[in-house]
Amino acid sequence: MADLRTLRTQKMIIRAFTDLLHHEPFSKITVNELAVAALINRSTFYKHFVDKFALLDYIFEKVLLDEQIDTKNIYHQPFRMLAQIKSSNLKPLIQAQTHDEQFVKAFSDFFFTKTISQHQEISTLNQSFFIGRVTAITRWIQVTHQQYNIFTDYEELDHIFNEG
């Protein structure tokens, strides 16, 4: 079992980080600012996380586990999974950070890299095709001003994803 001080420090870091994310763009948050908000030294932060991106990944992974979001059907229903993540405890953070490009990129990297890498049976080439199809559909929605919402119209978008 982990040391209680370690668990308490991690909780303080996570709480301070999520509080900051509700009020400030992810790209503007520094480790110094986070350490001050968590009432810890900067070096203590680095004992727990490599950087703020690793902390964000930790939070994303924890939500997947805590809310039992199933990733095994990601290759057939990627938009359903995005909708599940959006309606999870991450919803307020995602809404607060929607316009921060660094946050959106970190979320996309997590979604693609961390989640699909759990499927070792899928070749790297097919993982790349998967990323390309999801990206193409979201780009198509943006560029052509389609009336689809990737978080609410996931059944239709998953159909487009699978059928072309």
Side-chain angles (χ1 to χ4, degrees), residues 57 107-118 127 131:
D57 277 358
F107 178 78
S108 296
D109 288 349
F110 172 81
F111 177 73
F112 290 132
T113 306
K114 303 283 185 186
T115 308
I116 66 174
S117 68
Q118 295 174 4
Q127 289 179 6
I131 292 168

Side-chain angles (χ1 to χ4, degrees), residues 127-164:
Q127 289 179 6
S128 297
F129 285 141
F130 168 82
I131 292 168
R133 288 195 335 254
V134 171
T135 303
I137 290 170
T138 56
R139 182 86 175 120
W140 168 70
I141 292 168
Q142 292 171 339
V143 170
T144 61
H145 306 289
Q146 295 293 317
Q147 296 302 312
Y148 292 112
N149 179 310
I150 64 169
F151 299 116
T152 58
D153 300 323
Y154 55 86
E155 287 182 7
E156 293 171 60
L157 294 172
D158 282 338
H159 178 76
I160 292 168
F161 175 84
N162 288 303
E163 302 299 322

Side-chain angles (χ1 to χ4, degrees), residues 11-149:
K11 283 186 179 208
M12 289 171 38
I13 292 169
I14 292 166
R15 184 176 304 127
F17 189 52
T18 55
D19 288 347
L20 287 170
L21 287 170
H22 286 300
H23 305 291
E24 192 172 335
F26 173 75
S27 58
K28 303 291 186 202
I29 296 172
T30 65
V31 171
N32 282 337
E33 179 183 16
L34 179 53
V36 168
L39 303 172
I40 60 170
N41 290 319
R42 179 184 162 118
S43 61
T44 302
F45 173 86
Y46 288 115
K47 288 179 183 175
H48 296 272
F49 301 99
V50 174
D51 56 21
K52 69 180 186 177
F53 294 93
L55 174 55
L56 192 60
D57 277 358
Y58 178 84
I59 290 169
F60 291 156
E61 287 179 28
K62 188 164 175 23
V63 167
L64 287 179
L65 288 172
D66 290 350
E67 300 201 17
Q68 300 177 350
I69 296 174
D70 187 7
T71 63
K72 68 180 171 211
N73 289 326
I74 188 172
Y75 280 98
H76 303 290
Q77 299 174 324
F79 292 98
R80 177 180 298 276
M81 187 176 150
L82 281 172
Q84 289 175 322
I85 292 170
K86 173 75 163 56
S87 63
S88 72
N89 288 334
L90 287 176
K91 184 176 184 172
L93 289 182
I94 292 171
Q95 288 174 330
Q97 297 294 326
T98 295
H99 300 294
D100 187 84
E101 289 182 30
Q102 205 174 69
F103 179 89
V104 172
K105 182 177 179 339
F107 178 78
S108 296
D109 288 349
F110 172 81
F111 177 73
F112 290 132
T113 306
K114 303 283 185 186
T115 308
I116 66 174
S117 68
Q118 295 174 4
H119 298 277
Q120 298 298 320
E121 72 280 6
I122 307 295
S123 72
T124 304
L125 179 61
N126 283 332
Q127 289 179 6
S128 297
F129 285 141
F130 168 82
I131 292 168
R133 288 195 335 254
V134 171
T135 303
I137 290 170
T138 56
R139 182 86 175 120
W140 168 70
I141 292 168
Q142 292 171 339
V143 170
T144 61
H145 306 289
Q146 295 293 317
Q147 296 302 312
Y148 292 112
N149 179 310

